[in-house]
PDB file of all heavy atoms in Angstrom:
ATOM      1  N   GLY B  37    -213.206 114.189  33.552  1.00 93.00           N
ATOM      2  CA  GLY B  37    -212.444 114.716  34.694  1.00 93.00           C
ATOM      3  C   GLY B  37    -212.827 116.106  35.048  1.00 93.00           C
ATOM      4  O   GLY B  37    -212.863 116.489  36.245  1.00 93.00           O
ATOM      5  N   PHE B  38    -213.088 116.924  34.082  1.00 95.00           N
ATOM      6  CA  PHE B  38    -213.282 118.338  34.343  1.00 95.00           C
ATOM      7  C   PHE B  38    -214.621 118.597  35.098  1.00 95.00           C
ATOM      8  O   PHE B  38    -214.604 119.189  36.187  1.00 95.00           O
ATOM      9  CB  PHE B  38    -213.285 119.165  33.054  1.00 95.00           C
ATOM     10  CG  PHE B  38    -213.303 120.631  33.279  1.00 95.00           C
ATOM     11  CD1 PHE B  38    -212.148 121.291  33.713  1.00 95.00           C
ATOM     12  CD2 PHE B  38    -214.451 121.401  33.139  1.00 95.00           C
ATOM     13  CE1 PHE B  38    -212.141 122.663  33.964  1.00 95.00           C
ATOM     14  CE2 PHE B  38    -214.461 122.718  33.372  1.00 95.00           C
ATOM     15  CZ  PHE B  38    -213.299 123.382  33.798  1.00 95.00           C
ATOM     16  N   VAL B  39    -215.724 118.132  34.566  1.00 95.00           N
ATOM     17  CA  VAL B  39    -217.020 118.361  35.243  1.00 95.00           C
ATOM     18  C   VAL B  39    -217.033 117.541  36.569  1.00 95.00           C
ATOM     19  O   VAL B  39    -217.525 118.084  37.592  1.00 95.00           O
ATOM     20  CB  VAL B  39    -218.262 117.903  34.477  1.00 95.00           C
ATOM     21  CG1 VAL B  39    -218.901 119.051  33.796  1.00 95.00           C
ATOM     22  CG2 VAL B  39    -217.962 116.773  33.528  1.00 95.00           C
ATOM     23  N   GLY B  40    -216.467 116.344  36.524  1.00 96.00           N
ATOM     24  CA  GLY B  40    -216.395 115.564  37.788  1.00 96.00           C
ATOM     25  C   GLY B  40    -215.668 116.325  38.859  1.00 96.00           C
ATOM     26  O   GLY B  40    -216.183 116.432  40.002  1.00 96.00           O
ATOM     27  N   GLY B  41    -214.507 116.894  38.513  1.00 96.00           N
ATOM     28  CA  GLY B  41    -213.762 117.675  39.486  1.00 96.00           C
ATOM     29  C   GLY B  41    -214.541 118.925  39.981  1.00 96.00           C
ATOM     30  O   GLY B  41    -214.557 119.180  41.165  1.00 96.00           O
ATOM     31  N   LEU B  42    -215.179 119.579  39.064  1.00 96.00           N
ATOM     32  CA  LEU B  42    -215.938 120.786  39.470  1.00 96.00           C
ATOM     33  C   LEU B  42    -217.058 120.406  40.419  1.00 96.00           C
ATOM     34  O   LEU B  42    -217.337 121.109  41.397  1.00 96.00           O
ATOM     35  CB  LEU B  42    -216.546 121.482  38.240  1.00 96.00           C
ATOM     36  CG  LEU B  42    -215.662 122.445  37.489  1.00 96.00           C
ATOM     37  CD1 LEU B  42    -216.485 123.122  36.383  1.00 96.00           C
ATOM     38  CD2 LEU B  42    -215.127 123.483  38.425  1.00 96.00           C
ATOM     39  N   MET B  43    -217.731 119.261  40.107  1.00 96.00           N
ATOM     40  CA  MET B  43    -218.839 118.846  40.933  1.00 96.00           C
ATOM     41  C   MET B  43    -218.353 118.475  42.351  1.00 96.00           C
ATOM     42  O   MET B  43    -218.994 118.822  43.350  1.00 96.00           O
ATOM     43  CB  MET B  43    -219.510 117.624  40.292  1.00 96.00           C
ATOM     44  CG  MET B  43    -220.836 117.230  40.838  1.00 96.00           C
ATOM     45  SD  MET B  43    -222.100 118.484  40.518  1.00 96.00           S
ATOM     46  CE  MET B  43    -222.555 118.095  38.828  1.00 96.00           C
ATOM     47  N   THR B  44    -217.231 117.769  42.428  1.00 95.00           N
ATOM     48  CA  THR B  44    -216.686 117.454  43.737  1.00 95.00           C
ATOM     49  C   THR B  44    -216.320 118.718  44.500  1.00 95.00           C
ATOM     50  O   THR B  44    -216.645 118.848  45.710  1.00 95.00           O
ATOM     51  CB  THR B  44    -215.417 116.621  43.568  1.00 95.00           C
ATOM     52  OG1 THR B  44    -215.753 115.420  42.833  1.00 95.00           O
ATOM     53  CG2 THR B  44    -214.825 116.164  44.919  1.00 95.00           C
ATOM     54  N   SER B  45    -215.693 119.673  43.827  1.00 95.00           N
ATOM     55  CA  SER B  45    -215.376 120.927  44.493  1.00 95.00           C
ATOM     56  C   SER B  45    -216.672 121.613  44.995  1.00 95.00           C
ATOM     57  O   SER B  45    -216.715 122.181  46.076  1.00 95.00           O
ATOM     58  CB  SER B  45    -214.676 121.948  43.553  1.00 95.00           C
ATOM     59  OG  SER B  45    -213.918 121.286  42.623  1.00 95.00           O
ATOM     60  N   PHE B 122    -208.972 115.547  37.161  1.00 96.00           N
ATOM     61  CA  PHE B 122    -209.923 115.654  38.248  1.00 96.00           C
ATOM     62  C   PHE B 122    -209.249 116.267  39.477  1.00 96.00           C
ATOM     63  O   PHE B 122    -209.774 117.246  40.050  1.00 96.00           O
ATOM     64  CB  PHE B 122    -210.393 114.202  38.596  1.00 96.00           C
ATOM     65  CG  PHE B 122    -211.352 114.128  39.667  1.00 96.00           C
ATOM     66  CD1 PHE B 122    -212.730 114.141  39.405  1.00 96.00           C
ATOM     67  CD2 PHE B 122    -210.961 113.959  41.008  1.00 96.00           C
ATOM     68  CE1 PHE B 122    -213.666 114.049  40.437  1.00 96.00           C
ATOM     69  CE2 PHE B 122    -211.893 113.849  42.020  1.00 96.00           C
ATOM     70  CZ  PHE B 122    -213.240 113.898  41.720  1.00 96.00           C
ATOM     71  N   VAL B 125    -208.409 120.030  38.937  1.00 97.00           N
ATOM     72  CA  VAL B 125    -209.586 120.904  38.966  1.00 97.00           C
ATOM     73  C   VAL B 125    -210.033 121.098  40.428  1.00 97.00           C
ATOM     74  O   VAL B 125    -210.262 122.201  40.849  1.00 97.00           O
ATOM     75  CB  VAL B 125    -210.731 120.309  38.131  1.00 97.00           C
ATOM     76  CG1 VAL B 125    -212.001 121.070  38.337  1.00 97.00           C
ATOM     77  CG2 VAL B 125    -210.372 120.341  36.667  1.00 97.00           C
ATOM     78  N   VAL B 126    -210.099 119.991  41.200  1.00 96.00           N
ATOM     79  CA  VAL B 126    -210.497 120.131  42.611  1.00 96.00           C
ATOM     80  C   VAL B 126    -209.489 121.032  43.325  1.00 96.00           C
ATOM     81  O   VAL B 126    -209.854 121.956  44.046  1.00 96.00           O
ATOM     82  CB  VAL B 126    -210.595 118.712  43.263  1.00 96.00           C
ATOM     83  CG1 VAL B 126    -210.851 118.859  44.751  1.00 96.00           C
ATOM     84  CG2 VAL B 126    -211.681 117.912  42.648  1.00 96.00           C
TER      85      VAL B 126
END
Side-chain angles (χ1 to χ4, degrees):
Chain B
F38 188 77
V39 262
L42 274 186
M43 192 68 81
T44 303
S45 331
F122 182 92
V125 171
V126 174

